[in-house]
Amino acid sequence: MAQLLRICFSIILAWSAGLTAATAQKADPALFGALPSIDMVEISPDGKTVGLLQNSNGQSTVVFFDLDNPNATPNGVIVGAVKARSLQWVGNDHLLLLASDSQNLGSAFNTSGQTRELFRWISISKETRELKMLFRQDAGYYVPSPGNILATTPESPNDAVFARWTPDARAPSTPVSVRLKKRDIGDGYSLFNVNVETGREKITYRGKSDTYDWIVDENGEAILRIDFNERTDERKIYRRRPNGRTFDHLITYKAEYGSAETVSYYGLGETSNEILATGYNGQDTIGLSGFNLDTGVMGRTIFRDDKYDITSIYYDADTATATTVYYTDDFPRAHHLNPDDQRLQDSLGQALPGAVPYITSKSQNGEKLIIRAVYADRPTDIYLFDKPTRNLAFFSSTRPAIADKIYAQKTKFDYTSADGLEIDGYLTIPAGKDAKNLPLIVLPHGGPESRDTQSFDWWAFFYAARGYAVYQPNFRGSFGYGLKFREAGYGEWGRKMQSDITNGVQKLIDDGLADPERICIIGGSYGGYAALAGATLTPNLYACAVSVNGVSDLPTMIGAAALQSSLGAEYWEKRIGSRFRDSNELAAVSPKRRVTSATAPIMLIHGRDDTVVNFEQSEIMRDALVAANKPVEFIELEGEDHWLSFGQTRIEMLQRSIEFIDRHIGGE
């Protein structure tokens, strides 16, 4: 790999109207809160075109770059202020954009006015730049599932096979709101053939009411149908008869929803009696194995890390199977099932010192690849690699406005919690600052079955750029460290999970890194709960707290989940507790019910269209604080969802929170 060259294409043109590095003179919230200027970079199957999402001034544009003519002006299609979720090529002319929108579904049948996140695939032609809404005539039937692309069809390059929830054909006049109440997802999971040029679709195989997965071959033909009975926890696999449309039962096995026995499938394996699957398979970490269709158990291990779980799988619709495994130690890592790709992956670090690079997209023949390079001190860069010429070419930073300046450095900060459990964490120190007696922001992650990494983080780096040390602990219950570590968090909301955070903060104080009088705890989702729990359960530790889309009352949260789905209620009751059986225990760690203990000022920020943690969670916390005569500020983010999908509201969140933080613990 000594022949690798770094060549700058200089293809991010002035017409992008994005923020420039010249504006990065101060840590302005707009620099960090804006969505990435360049995102979701994908190469076409023939390797001739790069498609990507470009974000600028609240508008998104899908852009096509002709790699044969790198100096030509790129073609762009403005898609507006959409919430873009992913991009995927189907053939060489059409790029599919998955977008979502929050909509209120109130009606005469649904007086609660429940807000749901609705997803849509939009097909964009590279040649004509025409947009087609897929499944466009199904507004009353397919909420909220967008469908998953399982296969492209080599003989028909404009066609793709989707798996998607289908309506209850027995009640075609049933209103949308009533249909939503039935498992929220329709009546079955069926296979569709969709023409991405015309937008026309047809059902090729209709699923049953409990169908939840399909395995297809590279031509999109159904091979296996997988059903799940949520009452009995039985999973049944059926195989399609050759040249037929009927399915024969193969095996039945039990696996409780969300349990360690759960298996996820990702296409065919080496033989017709094997499918690729992820699961624990009796081990502590999630691995990729071959699931034996004759015995109904996991067989050979394809990839497993002894310490870290697989976090995601790259499923290639062209081959209709998994090709890459992703996991995270301190940085995201990729393991490719193709040995040639893995050898290239292993050598990339030599070509990009200081970066953690990994392959994210490649042409069908494997000669053109997209590389993402992540760092501990700056935003991600994108590179192109040409295999025949061995050229590695810089494409763009994902955030060019702040790419040329080091604002902070994120380092490891691990410690042992009070009961002896090892906790990983990360400490971001402002550039040019000594790690001594700094004002500290504690920023626990959401989920809680998620995790933080050592990679650049726009939220943490903004606070660090304003002079604060930022601590991000991966407390027990976090995902990625194996089953025992995850299950160690069950029933520990506000208890050992919170103690892990507290113990980390105390070590930062004991080590002289943090000023004990200037500590603020901030977080989103579960992190918002942790912030409120910190302010009410350990009030002497924090000088302020900010909750973004956070939970304040556990019984109310579990009850809301039960209204949407019995599976959702089971999931949360297993991890938190029963709102009936454990009502006293849940009340004891619900911040809304402990407001009299709070001494620090609290800021509540919540997206009005949050479909994960109800907006009500912040309203009832505000009301309880006001009634207790406690200092509170309440910020409503109009039109925003749980994930802060819009740049403008991210910027507002950063601006309002930093003003609040500066007032209470000082800064620069």
Side-chain angles (χ1 to χ4, degrees):
M1 290 302 294
Q3 301 176 49
L4 284 175
L5 302 176
R6 178 170 174 171
I7 306 171
C8 181
F9 276 176
S10 299
I11 56 177
I12 304 305
L13 304 178
W15 61 265
S16 68
L19 291 167
T20 65
T23 64
Q25 297 174 358
K26 182 187 175 184
D28 190 316
L31 292 174
F32 292 84
L35 298 179
S37 298
I38 302 297
D39 203 6
M40 305 178 190
V41 184
E42 298 288 332
I43 198 161
S44 61
D46 63 8
K48 295 183 177 181
T49 309
V50 170
L52 57 84
L53 190 77
Q54 194 164 52
N55 299 302
S56 176
N57 298 327
Q59 298 290 308
S60 297
T61 303
V62 173
V63 181
F64 299 97
F65 288 94
D66 184 350
L67 295 181
D68 289 337
N69 299 286
N71 295 320
T73 301
N75 292 322
V77 180
I78 297 174
V79 292
V82 302
K83 291 191 279 189
R85 304 304 184 187
S86 70
L87 286 175
Q88 184 165 346
W89 285 95
V90 172
N92 296 309
D93 183 51
H94 292 89
L95 192 60
L96 270 55
L97 168 67
L98 178 61
S100 71
D101 183 36
S102 304
Q103 293 186 17
N104 187 286
L105 302 174
S107 70
F109 299 92
N110 179 20
T111 56
S112 66
Q114 189 176 54
T115 298
R116 285 296 180 88
E117 197 73 15
L118 311 186
F119 292 81
R120 283 287 190 238
W121 285 104
I122 303 167
S123 176
I124 304 169
S125 170
K126 178 186 72 174
E127 297 301 324
T128 67
R129 295 189 289 282
E130 184 179 5
L131 281 69
K132 287 284 186 181
M133 188 82 71
L134 305 186
F135 301 99
R136 62 193 182 280
Q137 296 177 348
D138 63 8
Y141 299 94
Y142 295 83
V143 180
S145 166
N148 298 310
I149 301 176
L150 296 188
T152 55
T153 53
E155 300 301 320
S156 303
N158 290 329
D159 288 349
V161 174
F162 284 75
R164 199 161 192 244
W165 299 108
T166 57
D168 183 350
R170 296 166 295 177
S173 61
T174 306
V176 176
S177 56
V178 175
R179 294 185 184 192
L180 287 173
K181 286 185 177 180
K182 186 179 181 182
R183 296 180 62 224
D184 304 329
I185 49 179
D187 193 56
Y189 196 56
S190 298
L191 289 182
F192 289 77
N193 186 277
V194 180
N195 186 292
V196 298
E197 183 174 30
T198 65
R200 296 191 184 99
E201 82 276 349
K202 64 178 180 181
I203 293 180
T204 54
Y205 295 93
R206 185 177 289 279
K208 304 298 183 181
S209 60
D210 53 1
T211 299
Y212 81 99
D213 206 354
W214 293 87
I215 302 295
V216 302
D217 64 19
E218 63 273 14
N219 297 310
E221 285 293 330
I223 298 175
L224 302 172
R225 192 188 80 231
I226 304 165
D227 298 350
F228 171 60
N229 186 316
E230 63 182 69
R231 294 182 299 277
T232 65
D233 292 324
E234 286 185 332
R235 297 170 192 261
K236 297 182 178 182
I237 299 180
Y238 298 83
R239 174 177 281 156
R240 183 176 64 85
R241 291 179 179 175
N243 303 317
R245 299 190 62 79
T246 57
F247 290 77
D248 293 327
H249 175 256
L250 282 181
I251 54 172
T252 297
Y253 69 99
K254 280 197 172 188
E256 181 185 349
Y257 174 76
S259 71
E261 291 77 33
T262 300
V263 174
S264 299
Y265 307 101
Y266 295 95
L268 288 175
E270 292 183 343
T271 69
S272 60
N273 283 341
E274 180 187 72
I275 52 180
L276 300 185
T278 57
Y280 289 103
N281 193 20
Q283 304 298 311
D284 188 52
T285 57
I286 295 174
L288 179 68
S289 302
F291 185 90
N292 190 304
L293 293 171
D294 294 327
T295 62
V297 299
M298 293 285 219
R300 65 187 180 103
T301 297
I302 299 168
F303 176 83
R304 183 185 305 278
D305 186 271
D306 291 337
K307 184 174 180 181
Y308 302 105
D309 294 305
I310 288 175
T311 53
S312 62
I313 296 284
Y314 181 82
Y315 176 91
D316 184 0
D318 290 337
T319 58
T321 193
T323 60
T324 308
V325 170
Y326 295 97
Y327 67 101
T328 300
D329 43 32
D330 292 314
F331 294 92
R333 309 286 180 178
H335 175 83
H336 302 275
L337 305 189
N338 181 307
D340 288 340
D341 288 343
Q342 188 56 40
R343 280 190 288 270
L344 173 60
Q345 174 71 62
D346 292 340
S347 65
L348 284 170
Q350 302 171 29
L352 296 170
V356 178
Y358 57 101
I359 302 165
T360 59
S361 178
K362 67 177 183 175
S363 60
Q364 204 161 31
N365 63 10
E367 293 185 351
K368 306 281 187 180
L369 303 99
I370 304 293
I371 312 296
R372 288 180 72 89
V374 301
Y375 305 89
D377 58 2
R378 61 185 186 274
T380 297
D381 287 335
I382 306 296
Y383 289 83
L384 299 178
F385 181 69
D386 184 273
K387 213 172 198 179
T389 63
R390 315 290 286 181
N391 282 345
L392 185 66
F394 177 77
F395 187 77
S396 175
S397 169
T398 54
R399 294 176 178 270
I402 55 176
D404 65 342
K405 184 176 179 180
I406 303 300
Y407 289 88
Q409 179 74 45
K410 187 184 282 191
T411 60
K412 291 270 290 175
F413 186 81
D414 304 338
Y415 64 97
T416 303
S417 200
D419 62 355
L421 189 65
E422 296 297 319
I423 305 295
D424 284 1
Y426 304 98
L427 184 64
T428 305
I429 300 293
K433 290 277 190 180
D434 291 331
K436 183 178 180 181
N437 204 41
L438 292 171
L440 177 69
I441 290 175
V442 184
L443 189 62
H445 62 72
E449 292 184 10
S450 178
R451 60 158 295 170
D452 279 311
T453 74
Q454 200 174 339
S455 307
F456 171 89
D457 176 332
W458 61 271
W459 196 348
F461 269 66
F462 169 70
Y463 293 142
R466 297 294 286 255
Y468 296 96
V470 182
Y471 171 56
Q472 295 171 278
N474 286 324
F475 42 82
R476 75 190 67 204
S478 299
F479 176 77
Y481 293 93
L483 180 62
K484 291 178 183 176
F485 192 85
R486 180 159 63 98
E487 290 185 336
Y490 287 5
E492 298 296 341
W493 283 46
R495 296 183 175 87
K496 289 183 179 180
M497 290 168 72
Q498 195 71 26
S499 295
D500 289 343
I501 299 171
T502 303
N503 295 157
V505 174
Q506 190 59 54
K507 180 168 174 55
L508 286 165
I509 295 171
D510 294 343
D511 289 353
L513 298 172
D515 180 347
E517 301 301 319
R518 295 194 294 166
I519 302 176
C520 190
I521 184 167
I522 303 168
S525 192
Y526 175 84
Y529 165 81
L532 296 177
T536 54
L537 298 175
T538 53
N540 296 328
L541 188 59
Y542 301 109
C544 61
V546 180
S547 168
V548 181
N549 295 342
V551 176
S552 68
D553 190 62
L554 299 184
T556 304
M557 171 200 159
I558 299 170
L563 288 175
Q564 292 191 30
S565 164
S566 60
L567 291 178
E570 291 174 11
Y571 176 91
W572 287 118
E573 286 186 3
K574 182 173 183 177
R575 285 154 175 79
I576 303 176
S578 167
R579 67 191 192 279
F580 304 116
R581 183 183 62 253
D582 306 314
S583 58
N584 292 335
E585 290 82 355
L586 295 180
V589 291
S590 290
K592 178 250 181 181
R593 307 185 189 210
R594 296 185 58 91
V595 293
T596 56
S597 300
T599 56
I602 293 173
M603 172 174 275
L604 304 167
I605 303 175
H606 214 118
R608 186 74 208 189
D609 292 341
D610 190 336
T611 58
V612 179
V613 175
N614 289 348
F615 185 77
E616 174 196 18
Q617 287 287 327
S618 287
E619 288 185 308
I620 60 177
M621 185 67 186
R622 173 202 59 193
D623 293 345
L625 287 165
V626 170
N629 198 29
K630 300 292 182 176
V632 59
E633 297 181 36
F634 183 73
I635 311 297
E636 176 182 337
L637 300 178
E638 187 65 35
E640 187 52 279
D641 59 23
H642 185 70
W643 307 279
L644 300 182
S645 297
F646 293 114
Q648 194 55 47
T649 39
R650 286 189 183 185
I651 293 168
E652 182 181 357
M653 182 275 290
L654 292 181
Q655 182 65 54
R656 300 298 289 269
S657 65
I658 196 64
E659 291 171 355
F660 180 81
I661 294 163
D662 282 347
R663 286 200 305 271
H664 296 294
I665 64 172
E668 295 181 358

